[in-house]
Amino acid sequence: MRSSRSLYMVTLLTILALILATCGPRATGGATAAMAGADKAAIDMPSLVIDINNDGNPSVGNMPLASLAQMANVDPNAVANLRMDPAVVAQLSNANIQHIQIDNTTDGILVLVNGEPIPFFVWDDATLSTTAEVAQSLGFNVNMLDKLLPLVRALGLGVIIRFPVAEGQELIPTVVLGNESAALAARQAQQEYLNAVGSPPKIQLIVDYAADGSWTMADLTEAEWKEVAPIPWEALNLNPGVLAGAKDAGISTVGLATNSNGIYISINGKSLPYISWNNGELQHTLQLARQLGLLDQMMGANPDTDQLMATIDQFLPIVQAAELNLVVNFPQ
């Protein structure tokens, strides 16, 4: 019995050593340990690198995950669920999507595709604390959630998933910086727009709901707004059950705001983690959608796709620079 346990421990340590030996640099590696300093607990690790072959099978350090699972006596079904559809792998490879990196940072979950970010959640101690409060008020009773969520900032962990690189394509670094990044181009376009207009557009809207789900905005009802602008304002009506649920949860106000940094949501005046878009995330996401053929699927074989992309590129800096503040008040 003791011999079997010893062999199992040796096997696990061998697997762990293999994984650590094949890890790659994490985008924000070192930041977690630096924030913790010498006084706080922290885990700051390089990224686990998982390679997906053309058949969709994952491996670590040229060792198939299925073999590692068998060595560790792990349920093979758990690994089978990680296998990707070969058709999806082919689509990603043909679109030159070489890797996806997910990095749990001190300030949020950073997601990089081909080395550049797509929109991701950003947080701090206050927003994580609010998230725990809101979750508990909505009935998600997890023991010590208010203490566990802030610990997320102390976990510097990541994974890089690599896909087959199509023949003839140059390798893309796992983190793209400098003049080639969408972030730099986006910031320049946004600054050019702000220089041209002087100050960003500002819009503030306040919607007040009644218990029956009807609403008023600027003291005008749905019917009155229809006279001003004949659009489907009834879409703003809410089911009374939703409003009753908000009341039971103690939610009186929901806020939605945007500025050059991202999209913000607040509950009862307290901010939740926000969605970042100030580093070219939207521009890069649109480019990825085009590489994957998603825009062509939406528009069909439309020769105006290039013109559409050019128009969006001009419009995005305006949207991102604008300061929108929407406040929704629920009946109490």
Side-chain angles (χ1 to χ4, degrees), residues 65-264:
L65 279 187
S67 299
L68 291 176
Q70 187 176 16
M71 290 172 59
N73 198 25
V74 173
D75 183 357
N77 291 326
V79 176
N81 292 332
L82 297 176
R83 184 177 181 273
M84 293 185 62
D85 184 342
V88 173
V89 176
Q91 182 182 16
L92 292 171
S93 181
N94 292 335
N96 197 31
I97 307 298
Q98 297 186 10
H99 40 71
I100 297 173
Q101 179 171 182
I102 302 172
D103 182 359
N104 188 73
T105 78
T106 58
D107 302 317
I109 298 182
L110 176 64
V111 181
L112 305 176
V113 181
N114 279 2
E116 298 193 62
I118 60 176
F120 62 96
F121 281 105
V122 178
W123 53 50
D124 56 22
D125 288 336
T127 55
L128 287 173
S129 178
T130 300
T131 300
E133 292 176 14
V134 171
Q136 289 172 342
S137 70
L138 293 175
F140 296 97
N141 294 316
V142 179
N143 289 334
M144 299 188 301
L145 184 63
D146 58 331
K147 295 182 178 180
L148 291 175
L149 270 182
L151 292 179
V152 170
R153 302 190 71 198
L155 299 176
L157 304 173
V159 60
I160 299 172
I161 304 172
R162 300 191 300 200
F163 305 103
V165 178
E167 186 176 351
Q169 296 287 358
E170 294 185 7
L171 292 179
I172 300 172
T174 54
V175 178
V176 175
L177 301 171
N179 295 334
E180 301 301 319
S181 69
L184 180 63
R187 286 195 291 266
Q188 288 177 339
Q190 199 172 107
Q191 191 58 52
E192 289 173 4
Y193 170 72
L194 289 174
N195 290 341
V197 300
S199 61
K202 296 184 179 181
I203 301 171
Q204 180 164 300
L205 302 172
I206 300 176
V207 181
D208 296 303
Y209 277 92
D212 63 357
S214 62
W215 53 271
T216 59
M217 184 169 61
D219 293 327
L220 297 179
T221 65
E222 173 199 334
E224 290 169 329
W225 274 108
K226 280 188 175 180
E227 294 182 13
V228 175
I231 61 176
W233 292 101
E234 64 273 9
L236 294 179
N237 294 333
L238 291 178
N239 187 305
V242 173
L243 297 173
K247 181 178 180 179
D248 292 341
I251 298 175
S252 59
T253 303
V254 174
L256 174 67
T258 67
N259 59 26
S260 59
N261 289 323
I263 303 173
Y264 297 78

Side-chain angles (χ1 to χ4, degrees), residues 10 88 115 155 196 228 246 302 305 332:
V10 169
V88 173
L155 299 176
V228 175
N302 193 325
T305 300
Q332 294 300 300

Side-chain angles (χ1 to χ4, degrees), residues 268-301:
N268 295 347
K270 295 183 177 181
S271 297
L272 297 172
Y274 73 90
I275 300 174
S276 172
W277 68 14
N278 67 330
N279 285 306
E281 291 92 342
L282 292 182
Q283 289 83 351
H284 184 48
T285 300
L286 284 171
Q287 181 57 43
L288 292 172
R290 188 166 192 190
Q291 287 177 223
L292 288 165
L294 300 180
L295 292 183
D296 291 333
Q297 291 177 22
M298 293 171 57
M299 298 185 61

Side-chain angles (χ1 to χ4, degrees), residues 18-70:
L18 172 64
I19 291 174
L20 290 175
T22 56
C23 281
R26 189 164 55 86
T28 62
T32 304
M35 186 187 76
D39 302 324
K40 296 180 180 179
I43 297 176
D44 198 321
M45 302 288 290
S47 283
L48 171 66
V49 178
I50 299 176
D51 290 297
I52 307 293
N53 66 13
N54 289 314
D55 295 324
N57 295 314
S59 62
V60 175
N62 295 321
M63 176 74 75
L65 279 187
S67 299
L68 291 176
Q70 187 176 16

